[in-house]
Amino acid sequence: MSRERAKRATLPPAQENIEKLEKVVKQGNYYGAQQMFKSISARYVSAERYSEALDILKCGACLQLENGQVTCGSELALLFVETLVKGKVSYNEETLDHVRKTYEKFPRPSVPQNLDLTDDDDDDMQKLSEAIAAAKTRVECCSSFLKASIKWSAEFGALRYGSPELHEMLADYMYSQSPEVDMVKVSFHFVRGRNHKKFASTIINFMGKCYPGEDDLAIARAILMYLSLGNLRDANKLMDEVEKEMQSKHLDFPQSELMQFVNYLLLTLQRDALPLFNMLRQNYRSSIDRDPLFNELLDEVAKKFYGVQRKSPLQGMFGDIFKMMGGE
């Protein structure tokens, strides 16, 4: 028997180790359990018993997360994804379900409400500070896990940009758990998903929190992000969903020049009309300039729909965004 085969044969079934490790977690020895989950799973990976290693890591991640050990849980969750890559495990519904169940274990507590901060209450300020720090840690940990999962899914069988479901999970967690929501990042992931209704609800919720007069920016940004990917169909679907939900909630749809521009743009892109596209950009320049990202997105729209080559490479923040979006 070869050395490798001997190593595979000496390892017990993974379930035996899982049962032992569960007891360690129940005893509250989270650190000890963490080291054991890592070392034992590594043995199965070394023996190329990837399926069992994945079972151990998934169990460990879920147990730690259930007990509020976000850093430990996310570390094991990341090792789970690394093992998917090492084992060259294909993206399919079964594996996606394992990722989804781990994601669902990430805590979703709310920031303490009704804190009376007017009297400079040190206790309340401390609670708020701790809640914000914990929320940032949760978002960072969950984002790392899901971004790694998206990269794995793109490499092993999902769409070019990765699994739509994973993008939706990340967008939802970032929006619901971030102390300071970055709608550019949230929208970036939603436009790679398929849940237009959820995206529309998120935009409308955000519109109720943003500065007065800036609610139209959230809608325009989302539409332009779809269009920068050459996705006119989903841009129209999202617009329809936003209008429908706002009507059902008896909310007034923004009546601004920027919204006029977006509506005209959606019609223009249905036909080969580059001169009209350029005229729209010129006529609505002041509205477009309200957000520096819009001109970058529109340059990409011109490239996708009319073959217009960009004049200069993207730089800085916008370059990073487009690199993520698959832009040249």
Side-chain angles (χ1 to χ4, degrees):
M1 183 183 289
S2 70
R3 184 178 177 183
E4 197 61 42
R5 284 184 181 176
K7 190 192 294 183
R8 291 170 66 95
T10 56
L11 287 171
Q15 188 58 37
E16 289 184 19
N17 280 312
I18 288 174
E19 289 171 0
K20 292 176 185 176
L21 291 168
E22 284 176 338
K23 292 178 182 177
V24 178
V25 173
K26 287 177 181 177
Q27 291 167 358
N29 185 4
Y30 304 120
Y31 178 78
Q34 183 77 356
Q35 302 313 307
M36 293 169 71
F37 273 116
K38 288 164 63 177
S39 62
I40 291 173
S41 64
R43 291 179 208 156
Y44 286 85
V45 170
S46 179
E48 296 184 3
R49 289 168 63 170
Y50 296 111
S51 178
E52 290 172 287
L54 289 167
D55 287 342
I56 292 168
L57 289 167
K58 179 198 166 190
C59 173
C62 290
L63 282 171
Q64 294 282 33
L65 291 169
E66 283 172 358
N67 284 279
Q69 304 299 305
V70 176
T71 304
C72 287
S74 65
E75 183 184 17
L76 294 177
L78 273 172
L79 285 173
F80 176 88
V81 180
E82 287 177 17
T83 304
L84 289 175
V85 175
K86 284 180 183 175
K88 298 181 179 179
V89 178
S90 298
Y91 170 83
N92 54 41
E93 188 56 42
E94 180 183 359
T95 315
L96 173 62
D97 192 52
H98 289 313
V99 176
R100 182 189 296 113
K101 285 177 179 175
T102 303
Y103 158 72
E104 288 171 352
K105 297 295 183 181
F106 275 86
R108 289 175 173 259
S110 58
V111 174
Q113 301 293 312
N114 304 318
L115 293 178
D116 184 5
L117 305 181
T118 56
D119 297 328
D120 294 327
D121 189 302
D122 290 340
D123 188 46
D124 278 352
M125 288 298 292
Q126 181 67 21
K127 286 180 182 177
L128 183 60
S129 177
E130 290 173 357
I132 290 173
K136 287 181 178 178
T137 298
R138 286 196 304 276
V139 172
E140 184 179 330
C141 288
C142 188
S143 295
S144 295
F145 164 57
L146 288 176
K147 285 176 182 176
S149 300
I150 289 168
K151 186 176 179 182
W152 156 76
S153 71
E155 185 176 354
F156 290 95
L159 301 176
R160 175 188 173 191
Y161 297 117
S163 163
E165 292 84 356
L166 292 175
H167 279 292
E168 288 164 10
M169 291 175 203
L170 182 49
D172 183 51
Y173 200 84
M174 289 172 68
Y175 185 77
S176 65
Q177 292 299 304
S178 296
E180 297 176 358
V181 175
D182 185 337
M183 274 304 288
V184 173
K185 292 181 179 178
V186 171
S187 298
F188 166 83
H189 291 288
F190 264 126
V191 298
R192 280 149 193 76
R194 293 172 176 152
N195 195 336
H196 308 100
K197 192 174 183 63
K198 179 70 174 179
F199 193 7
S201 296
T202 302
I203 289 172
I204 292 168
N205 182 274
F206 179 74
M207 287 164 64
K209 300 175 181 178
C210 63
Y211 291 110
E214 293 191 357
D215 50 357
D216 56 346
L217 294 176
I219 301 173
R221 184 186 301 115
I223 298 299
L224 291 178
M225 278 190 167
Y226 272 126
L227 297 177
S228 71
L229 296 176
N231 192 344
L232 179 59
R233 182 196 64 182
D234 285 342
N236 278 300
K237 282 186 177 180
L238 179 67
M239 183 65 90
D240 290 342
E241 282 293 340
V242 170
E243 291 178 346
K244 189 191 307 178
E245 184 159 339
M246 291 192 79
Q247 284 179 357
S248 69
K249 293 184 175 180
H250 306 291
L251 297 172
D252 294 327
F253 191 86
Q255 300 297 320
S256 66
E257 287 193 356
L258 181 60
M259 283 295 93
Q260 286 180 14
F261 167 72
V262 169
N263 281 315
Y264 287 142
L265 179 63
L266 289 172
L267 294 171
T268 300
L269 295 177
Q270 293 178 20
R271 51 200 183 115
D272 187 9
L274 180 58
L276 181 55
F277 173 82
N278 289 331
M279 186 179 76
L280 281 174
R281 289 191 70 170
Q282 182 64 33
N283 291 348
Y284 288 92
R285 177 180 291 178
S286 61
S287 295
I288 295 168
D289 287 346
R290 288 172 57 199
D291 186 333
L293 179 57
F294 289 171
N295 276 302
E296 300 286 354
L297 290 169
L298 285 167
D299 285 347
E300 196 67 14
V301 173
K303 179 181 176 182
K304 285 289 195 298
F305 286 86
Y306 300 118
V308 177
Q309 294 303 308
R310 301 181 61 85
K311 295 178 182 178
S312 60
L314 295 164
Q315 298 177 343
M317 178 181 74
F318 304 127
D320 291 340
I321 291 171
F322 275 98
K323 200 177 292 181
M324 290 173 68
M325 294 173 76
E328 300 298 328

